[in-house]
């Protein structure tokens, strides 16, 4: 068990360096063995130091969610960026993409003829510098078209002057108990079908992109050429409760202090309150989650309520409550939103503070 | 209906200036009429420009949640600050509080003898410069002691050299349908009882502090001397669905663009996807909320799912789906966490961009 370095004031986010590096290596090795390219989603960490480690371990490029994130990683030397999002491109977005394309290979997502046409119109002559990936709905029912609709979108993109590179999907319905295998299967089928239809229509399909942390290692090479997991670098309570990682794989925790302690009585529950709330853990809670995050060293405890600066933690009767002032490590439910709440993180190794890293792309929502 | 100014790229947070100022005036007037002092919670907005307007309208000082927030508002001229949180004071926190007390009147919360003793030990001679408010649990069962335990905590604070000023509570259980009146009633009883016990034990009780946005206007003067609402400046979807405000009172929305649009079929739902996700709206969703926020101009729509950069919006069959590229205003469920996600906000008035304000205390979690 790693202690929380004395220099750290709570609440603060700590990244355990050796666990982070092990996670990066393991995913890279697993995908290399399968012959799948890795294009990790950098929205999870938003930190150039982590992107550099992913690329050094063999990632072919980075995935990002916004033009702003792409700009930050390009500023730090990234040269191959996929904005895996159905962007709506107006004049200002076109100008930024155009500039970005002068220093990096840039791909964007689209899921409609209208979006492709609008992008082409505003990009003008620069449209040919931007690759387009048609987004497919593989069962998550968020953005994306059915495989049967992919050709129409791809044709509109071509007419608009954009270069169609392939298809992508996000099997987000894999984030639920018992669902990773089903979602990975549906992802495969949807990608294979869409790629087949595009090829039959005369498109050269060079990239077929899938993946998420719960499904990445289940994705087969029969359809996909690359996967885009993000959370695997840190792990989080969702992955833990889905059985996709163990506490030994958790590389990011929130250091917190017990600020209120109550043994409970007839009318009030037995609990402690930590100084880490939704403004550092994030408020995400899936319907199947057991609470608002987990305690690294107390699997028996449950975070039953979360305010902005308070985590209320219920403790079983047969386990002693921690003392006031005790410092505990909290595993956020969804690590991507936790990282986005801080300007920098403490990088630690075995209880020692090594350095701090800036969350360079924090808040780059557009 | 206000349009979204053309200069704004989505997603972005917009503050409607005239609505903001009306909200500030109305709460100030309502409490003045009742003879209750207003000490608004600045964690909601984190912006000096809004704090200045609250103070100009008669607020006696500001409430904040962390030492970091107090430092930011003191930097911008605030001279009376209550950190309404059961702080655990170590040496570094003591040093910061000591420095803060040289330029502002400072009160902190406490709910245990241990926290008070630790604070006194680290503050040393400066302890007498810090006021202490004993936190009472009025039914929310987060931090705070029962009224009967307040005297023991107050005595420990006095022994530790701190100045006991009074008691406070947060009736957070008022954030649920049908609960504001009950919570306000329990708040009154708990505060009255705690204040009475402290007075009987010889303490001079100068401040009795309650309140939250759902309960502030229900709080009576029989017990409380001041209230600390925060959300009232902006309103949000929670207040709307609790019936504590109307859409005309909503001063903050997230400008978003329709990036994906699906009429739906046998296997996929009818929906649009907006480019505003949990990284700008916040992920809060109370059990009783109808979705992950509301659409300002489409009360019939429901945000059924929220990813980091996607809001999936279900639309009733008898209402036409908005077009791709259309810009809509989203009301966040919980405005305090939304504001904390951006570095600055667009200040607008009737569809015109007036200026931008920095969220100066964003991310000040400790």
């Amino acid at each position: 068990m790693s202690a929380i370095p004395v220099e750290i004031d709570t609440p603060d986010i700590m990244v355990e360096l050796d666990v982070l590096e092990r996670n990066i290596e393991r995913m890279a090795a697993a995908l290399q063995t399968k012959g799948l390219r890795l294009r990790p989603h950098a929205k999870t960490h938003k930190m150039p130091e982590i992107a550099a480690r992913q690329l050094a371990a063999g990632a072919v490029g980075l995935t990002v969610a916004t033009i702003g994130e792409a700009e930050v990683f390009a500023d730090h030397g990234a040269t191959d960026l996929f904005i895996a999002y159905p962007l709506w491109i107006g004049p200002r977005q076109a100008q930024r993409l155009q500039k970005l394309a002068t220093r990096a290979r840039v791909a964007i997502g689209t899921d409609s003829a209208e979006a492709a046409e609008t992008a082409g119109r505003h990009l003008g002559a620069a449209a040919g510098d931007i690759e387009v990936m048609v987004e497919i709905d593989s069962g998550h029912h968020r953005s994306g078209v059915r495989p049967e609709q992919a050709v129409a979108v791809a044709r509109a993109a071509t007419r608009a002057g954009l270069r169609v590179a392939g298809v992508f999907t996000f099997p987000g319905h894999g984030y639920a108990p018992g669902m990773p295998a089903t979602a990975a299967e549906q992802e495969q089928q949807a990608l294979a079908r869409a790629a087949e239809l595009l090829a039959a229509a005369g498109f050269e399909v060079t990239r077929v992109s899938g993946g998420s942390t719960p499904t990445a290692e289940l994705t087969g090479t029969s359809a996909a050429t690359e996967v885009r997991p993000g959370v695997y670098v840190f792990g989080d309570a969702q992955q833990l409760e889905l059985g996709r990682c163990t506490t030994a794989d958790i590389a990011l925790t929130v250091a917190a202090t017990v600020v209120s302690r109550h043994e409970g009585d007839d009318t009030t529950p037995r609990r402690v309150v930590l100084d880490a709330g939704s403004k550092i853990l994030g408020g995400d809670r899936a319907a199947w989650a057991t609470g608002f995050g987990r305690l690294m060293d107390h699997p028996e405890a449950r975070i039953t309520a979360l305010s902005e600066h308070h985590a209320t933690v219920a403790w079983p009767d047969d386990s002693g409550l921690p003392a006031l002032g005790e410092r505990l490590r909290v595993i956020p439910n969804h690590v991507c939103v936790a990282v986005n709440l801080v300007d920098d993180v403490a990088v630690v190794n075995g209880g020692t503070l090594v350095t701090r890293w800036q969350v360079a792309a924090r808040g780059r929502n557009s």
Side-chain angles (χ1 to χ4, degrees), chain A residues 307-348:
Chain A
S307 315
E308 288 158 63
H309 299 275
H310 306 71
T312 303
V313 192
W315 226 265
D317 288 340
D318 58 0
S319 175
L321 285 181
L324 276 160
E326 193 170 328
R327 285 150 58 108
L328 301 172
R329 295 182 296 165
V330 186
I331 308 168
N333 266 348
H334 183 190
V335 76
C336 308
V337 296
V339 172
N340 188 49
L341 290 163
V342 295
D343 290 326
D344 53 23
V345 300
V347 181
V348 302

Side-chain angles (χ1 to χ4, degrees), chain A residues 14-35:
Chain A
M14 303 193 302
V15 172
E16 197 70 51
L17 190 56
D18 57 353
V19 183
L20 171 78
E21 292 182 338
R22 196 169 64 222
N23 291 344
I24 289 172
E25 290 296 335
R26 190 171 45 207
M27 182 64 84
L31 296 180
Q32 194 166 31
T33 304
K34 293 174 72 169

Side-chain angles (χ1 to χ4, degrees), chain A residues 6 45 51 63-64 112 169 250 259 269 281 319:
Chain A
V6 290
H45 55 73
T63 305
V64 293
S112 68
T169 193
I250 298 291
V259 294
L281 289 168
S319 175

Side-chain angles (χ1 to χ4, degrees), chain A residues 6 22 25 67 71 92 100 166 192-193 206 268 283 303 323 343:
Chain A
V6 290
R22 196 169 64 222
E25 290 296 335
I67 300 175
E71 288 166 338
R92 286 187 296 266
L100 196 61
R193 179 82 179 130
T206 57
T268 59
I303 302 179
D343 290 326

